[in-house]
Amino acid sequence: MITSESQIYQLLLGLHLGLSVVVTPLILWFGSPYGKLADSFKVHWSRGNVTINGTLGWVIMETVSLVAYTLCFTPWLGGPVHLNATTLLLAAMWVVHYINRSWVYPLRNPHRSPMHVGVMLSAVFFNVINGYVNGRWVSHFGEYPADAILSWHGLAGLALFVGGLVGNVHSDNILMGIQRSKRQKTQLATKGHDTASQSRYVIPRNGLFEWVSSPHYLCELLEWTGYAIATRSTAAWLFVLFAMANLGPRAIQCHRWYKTHFANYPPARKAIIPYLL
Ligand SMILES: NC(=O)c1ccc[n+]([C@@H]2O[C@H](COP(=O)([O-])OP(=O)(O)OC[C@H]3O[C@@H](n4cnc5c(N)ncnc54)[C@H](OP(=O)(O)O)[C@@H]3O)[C@@H](O)[C@H]2O)c1
């Protein structure tokens, strides 16, 4: 019988691990359910076919992660909340990432393809668990002296996190730039000033896209690896595992998608790890 929050916490870590174990075979078997891979997804969502605006769905599902984590820093869940320079800096890493991911990124990129509510709801489910186990560890269950961030793992993790964040935002910016210029050309073409292609996708160029097809995913993985090194927590490493299980297969499928759709796709470009994969 479950009698304490720490038992619930352990159960949620187990569930988190279980989700990582099932997500890779699910994506490899059924495909990925949104964006440019949505058409090849093998599950027929059409029963009900409930889609919502892609930007709205994104804001809702990612905001959950921010809220779940930050709630752990309030007295709301009970027990002591450890506030010092290290726990606040670790929390700041999470909060900065998710303010960008939940609000800045979608509002700067308001042209996402529509999203099935099933995708949004499954992300909400995961983000509640992930936000809670990570936030509650740093704020309550973990023990971090105030100067822990100055240890080798604190500083190395922080540096990797910042590097990953910069690369992730830069790569997202390149894709946003493509979407914006596509949209402008399409509007001009609609007005009869141009004969621009109506195709939504092109080959991304410049930056880390010269090495891999999904540098935003690679850098996202580096970010969370940095966070895990800095926190040295099971919850953070489970998040790295989940991100690898989720983004790795999607990156490989995106790479295949590019090669199938663009005959002139750069042959030396890899899927997610430069020169290797
Ligand atoms: N931590 C995690 O587990 C996790 C999971 C998912 C995403 N993320 C992060 O969230 C961010 C977005 O991820 P995502 O999966 O949505 O990326 P994505 O599928 O590459 O799409 C990003 C945006 O770029 C557009 N786009 C993609 N490829 C394009 C191309 N070749 N030409 C023109 N436009 C293109 C998409 O339009 P469409 O919407 O029309 O496809 C969408 O607006 C990334 O930084 C990623 O790392 C993290």
Side-chain angles (χ1 to χ4, degrees):
M1 188 169 139
I2 300 165
T3 53
S4 68
E5 189 195 350
S6 80
Q7 286 175 310
I8 295 173
Y9 186 87
Q10 295 302 326
L11 276 177
L12 289 177
L13 287 183
L15 179 57
H16 200 301
L17 176 63
L19 291 173
S20 296
V21 170
V22 296
V23 77
T24 300
L26 285 179
I27 293 176
L28 289 177
W29 182 256
F30 293 113
S32 208
Y34 67 93
K36 54 187 174 293
L37 302 180
D39 287 345
S40 53
F41 190 50
K42 286 188 197 142
V43 175
H44 296 293
W45 292 111
S46 50
R47 198 190 285 179
N49 198 18
V50 196
T51 56
I52 58 167
N53 176 286
T55 302
L56 178 63
W58 190 271
V59 170
I60 293 171
M61 71 190 199
E62 297 295 336
T63 299
V64 166
S65 212
L66 185 61
V67 171
Y69 191 100
T70 47
L71 275 181
C72 295
F73 279 79
T74 67
W76 188 67
L77 289 175
V81 172
H82 307 308
L83 295 179
N84 62 37
T86 290
T87 58
L88 289 175
L89 197 53
L90 294 173
M93 290 159 78
W94 191 279
V95 168
V96 166
H97 174 91
Y98 274 105
I99 284 182
N100 175 56
R101 178 63 68 241
S102 317
W103 301 331
V104 180
Y105 168 73
L107 296 178
R108 289 180 65 220
N109 181 30
H111 310 303
R112 294 188 70 86
S113 297
M115 178 185 288
H116 195 281
V117 285
V119 174
M120 186 193 78
L121 291 177
S122 49
V124 165
F125 176 71
F126 172 77
N127 284 338
V128 169
I129 297 170
N130 192 45
Y132 165 77
V133 292
N134 277 286
R136 197 61 169 157
W137 180 264
V138 171
S139 67
H140 178 70
F141 288 118
E143 288 181 11
Y144 295 96
D147 60 354
I149 198 68
L150 297 175
S151 62
W152 75 263
H153 57 86
L155 293 174
L158 184 60
L160 189 58
F161 178 87
V162 171
L165 181 65
V166 170
N168 176 264
V169 171
H170 184 253
S171 306
D172 279 342
N173 279 346
I174 290 175
L175 292 177
M176 268 185 249
I178 295 173
Q179 287 291 349
R180 277 198 210 102
S181 71
K182 276 263 156 199
R183 200 172 161 80
Q184 279 163 4
K185 284 182 189 162
T186 306
Q187 281 166 350
L188 283 175
T190 312
K191 287 178 190 163
H193 296 301
D194 199 347
T195 53
S197 160
Q198 301 292 308
S199 163
R200 183 166 172 80
Y201 301 111
V202 300
I203 301 175
R205 305 276 182 191
N206 300 322
L208 298 172
F209 281 102
E210 293 302 322
W211 279 281
V212 290
S213 299
S214 296
H216 47 341
Y217 297 161
L218 169 64
C219 291
E220 176 102 18
L221 289 173
L222 294 179
E223 267 183 76
W224 294 119
T225 303
Y227 179 81
I229 291 171
T231 59
R232 297 210 288 190
S233 69
T234 305
W237 282 113
L238 284 177
F239 187 23
V240 174
L241 182 68
F242 182 85
M244 286 168 67
N246 177 23
L247 296 178
R250 182 171 166 85
I252 289 166
Q253 289 168 346
C254 283
H255 189 62
R256 276 198 214 121
W257 183 93
Y258 279 123
K259 287 183 150 186
T260 310
H261 286 78
F262 299 101
N264 59 337
Y265 199 66
R269 199 178 288 189
K270 296 291 183 185
I272 186 164
I273 303 175
Y275 305 111
L276 284 179
L277 177 67

